[in-house]
Every structure is written in C-alpha cells, then in structure tokens.
C-alpha cells in the first residue's frame, strides 16, 4: 500500500433495492415495496465514509431519476463520485430483495442490460483510481462485457499505482449463466487480490466442500495474499494472514435483516487497514 494514502476506491455496481414493507414474506407475497440504495461496492464505500474514512466510487449509472438519486446519495454520504459516469441508453439496475420467514434472502434482478454492465475502460477515472490506498471490487462486474474489461483494467491501474486490491466475490448465482461460469470467472482474478473476504456459503461454492475448517479455507489461500477472511454470520469470522490466523466472535444483537451486513463488515475492515497497515502483520 502506497505510503500516505488513505482513500478506499470501490468499483462496480450501484443500484436500487426494492424491499417489502412487510418482513418475512416472499417477493410474490409482499404487499408493497420501498426503494433503497444498494450494490455491494457502493455500500462498502459509504460504510468507509461513515466511519470517517476517505472513499470514492467508480461505476456507471443510468441517466435517469434513479441514477441521479444514487449519485446524490454517494455525495450526501461523503463519497467522492468523480468516478461515476451516466449512460443515456440504459437504465439504472433494479433488484427486489426480501428476507423470507425461513431466514433466506430472495433476489430478483432487472438488468437487461443495466447501465453498470456497460462501463468501458475508456470511461474510467484513471487519476482517481491511482489515488487509491485500497481498490475494492466484487465479481458481478465480471459477468458481461464491456464492464469486465473495464474491471480488469481498473485493477491493473490500481495495482501499478501501489494500491492493495480487496475482493469480495458477493456471489449472486441468478446473475450468472451457470454455476460453472460463476466459479470460473470468480476464480479468474483470485490470484491478484491482496485481501479476500468470502462468506461460508461462498466458501462451499468455490471449494465444493461444506466445511469451514482450516484445511478447507486454505484451498483458497494464495502466497500473494495478505489477508483471507471467512464470515460466519452470527458466529463471527475467521481470518488468515501470512504469519497468523484466528477467529473473532460476533457481537450479539437482535437480528432484523442481514442484507448489507457483509458490506458493512468489509467497509470497517478496510477503513482499519488504511488507518493502520500494521494490522496486517503479526503482533511483536
């Protein structure tokens, strides 16, 4: 990580989530929906900013009411939106999401294509990306061109400028052509990341093993990594670095809705690392 930099730049999708006005129902059973800003990379940027850090977002929105609203939400939350561009020919992505009575989340996406999928490498704010101490991204931006090429180019720019690369796959199976394609593309950039966070569901998806034991997690470890994390919901998380590993229990709270919890976790993590890079090293 380049000395003196404290900016976290998030790359990827920002969209409108529609959430039911009633909890514990399926999408079909919901009587009505409320709109809310969403998109994992954008959530991370806002989390960093709310914790007092410097954050910026790079991505594409539709040149529509929702897109302009989302850009304003970034600014209102102290996130630099200098990397946001607008597409006049495609709409801002929409997602309907609910937490069913059985505790499982249900998603329905409208992106056919949405503006975020159409970001090109030529539209990247290169100077903003070069300022990143940490460049954070997911895997949804790998699904389709031209955004995939833009994603890979942004990673190259950030890495060459000395940023740490932070990766949260944020698996959304419904958006991929197949499970095999999702696994292949998610792992295609695995070796380039310095920091990787996966959920226990993603751990099983990527390894094919239903276990969170160390030997399973280490199948995802690469010698070039600085930190690998597995989040375990209400059981906390496990962490693995080059010279140490361990586990941290979660705070005990009354769970209402877990949507965005992983993004809040990543935002807090990255803010801490930017402020204190020594946290990636073992204590003396």
């Amino acid at each position: 990580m380049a000395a003196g930099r404290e900016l976290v730049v998030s790359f990827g999708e920002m969209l409108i989530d529609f959430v039911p006005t009633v909890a514990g129902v399926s999408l079909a059973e919901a009587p009505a929906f409320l709109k809310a800003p969403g998109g994992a990379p954008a959530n991370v940027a806002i989390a960093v900013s709310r914790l007092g850090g410097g954050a910026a977002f790079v991505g594409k929105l539709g040149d529509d009411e929702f897109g302009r609203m989302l850009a304003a939400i970034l600014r209102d939350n102290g996130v630099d939106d200098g990397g946001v561009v607008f597409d006049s020919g495609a709409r801002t992505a929409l997602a309907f999401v609910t937490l069913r009575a059985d505790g499982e989340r249900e998603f329905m996406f409208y992106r056919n294509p949405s503006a975020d999928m159409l970001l090109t490498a030529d539209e990247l704010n290169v100077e903003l990306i070069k300022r990143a101490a940490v460049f954070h991204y997911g895997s949804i931006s790998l699904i389709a061109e031209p955004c995939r090429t833009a994603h890979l180019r942004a990673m190259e720019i950030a890495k060459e400028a000395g940023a740490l690369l932070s990766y949260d796959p944020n698996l959304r199976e419904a958006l991929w052509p197949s499970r095999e394609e999702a696994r292949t593309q998610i792992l295609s950039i695995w070796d380039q990341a310095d920091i990787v966070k996966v959920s226990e569901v993603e751990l099983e998806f990527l390894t094919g093993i239903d276990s969170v034991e160390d030997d399973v997690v280490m199948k995802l470890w690469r010698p070039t990594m600085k930190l690998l994390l597995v989040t375990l919901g209400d059981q906390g998380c496990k962490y693995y670095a080059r010279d140490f590993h361990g586990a941290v229990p979660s705070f005990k709270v009354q769970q209402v809705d877990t949507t965005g919890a992983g993004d809040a976790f990543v935002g807090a993590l990255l803010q801490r690392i930017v402020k204190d890079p020594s946290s990636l090293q073992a204590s003396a």
Side-chain angles (χ1 to χ4, degrees):
M1 187 166 64
R5 294 190 201 164
E6 294 189 353
L7 182 67
V8 175
V9 177
S10 283
F11 174 94
E13 70 281 358
M14 189 176 192
L15 48 91
I16 299 291
D17 282 338
F18 284 93
V19 295
T21 54
V22 176
V25 298
S26 70
L27 291 175
E29 294 167 337
F33 295 87
L34 294 174
K35 69 179 186 297
N43 290 344
V44 170
I46 289 176
V48 170
S49 180
R50 287 182 175 179
L51 291 169
F57 179 76
V58 176
K60 196 170 199 179
L61 299 169
D63 190 6
D64 51 38
E65 287 290 324
F66 286 151
R68 296 293 175 180
M69 182 191 84
L70 291 175
I73 287 171
L74 289 172
R75 294 191 298 271
D76 290 346
N77 281 275
V79 176
D80 185 337
D81 69 337
V84 174
V85 292
F86 295 90
D87 194 301
S88 60
R91 297 297 189 187
T92 300
L94 308 178
F96 289 79
V97 57
T98 188
L99 190 70
R100 301 192 311 239
D102 61 6
E104 291 298 315
R105 286 185 296 171
E106 182 180 356
F107 292 91
M108 184 184 296
F109 296 94
Y110 287 80
R111 35 192 328 262
N112 191 34
S114 52
D116 60 287
M117 302 166 67
L118 302 178
L119 180 69
T120 68
D122 290 340
E123 293 173 312
L124 294 172
N125 186 330
V126 173
E127 294 308 311
L128 177 61
I129 295 171
K130 286 182 176 179
R131 288 170 44 208
V134 175
F135 184 72
H136 176 73
Y137 47 88
S139 69
I140 290 175
S141 44
L142 297 173
I143 294 174
E145 294 289 0
C147 188
R148 174 178 165 79
T149 294
H151 180 145
L152 298 177
R153 179 57 185 147
M155 286 173 57
E156 290 175 0
I157 293 167
K159 193 70 169 180
E160 289 170 0
L164 290 177
L165 299 188
S166 167
Y167 187 20
D168 177 359
N170 191 39
L171 175 66
R172 295 289 180 266
E173 285 190 50
L175 294 178
W176 291 91
S178 67
R179 288 173 59 88
E180 293 73 22
E181 178 71 6
R183 188 178 295 107
T184 298
Q185 294 301 335
I186 287 171
L187 292 174
S188 70
I189 58 172
W190 202 261
D191 294 1
Q192 300 172 57
D194 298 292
I195 301 165
V196 174
K197 172 260 172 189
V198 295
S199 68
E200 56 187 318
V201 172
E202 290 161 344
L203 176 65
E204 179 181 358
F205 178 82
L206 294 171
T207 64
I209 303 172
D210 183 12
S211 169
V212 296
E213 294 302 316
D214 291 350
D215 61 328
V216 176
V217 178
M218 292 306 291
K219 292 180 182 295
L220 297 181
W221 175 262
R222 300 292 184 271
T224 51
M225 287 181 180
K226 290 181 169 57
L227 185 64
L228 172 63
L229 301 118
V230 181
T231 53
L232 306 171
D234 62 1
Q235 299 303 305
C237 76
K238 303 179 78 170
Y239 60 89
Y240 303 80
R242 292 175 183 172
D243 301 319
F244 61 95
H245 67 275
V248 179
S250 67
F251 293 99
K252 300 303 178 184
V253 298
Q254 179 62 47
Q255 178 180 308
V256 176
D257 189 341
T258 60
T259 305
D263 304 328
F265 174 90
V266 172
L269 171 78
L270 297 182
Q271 168 64 356
R272 176 63 178 176
I273 289 172
V274 165
K275 289 293 185 183
D276 181 15
S278 69
S279 58
L280 291 172
Q281 302 166 359
S283 301

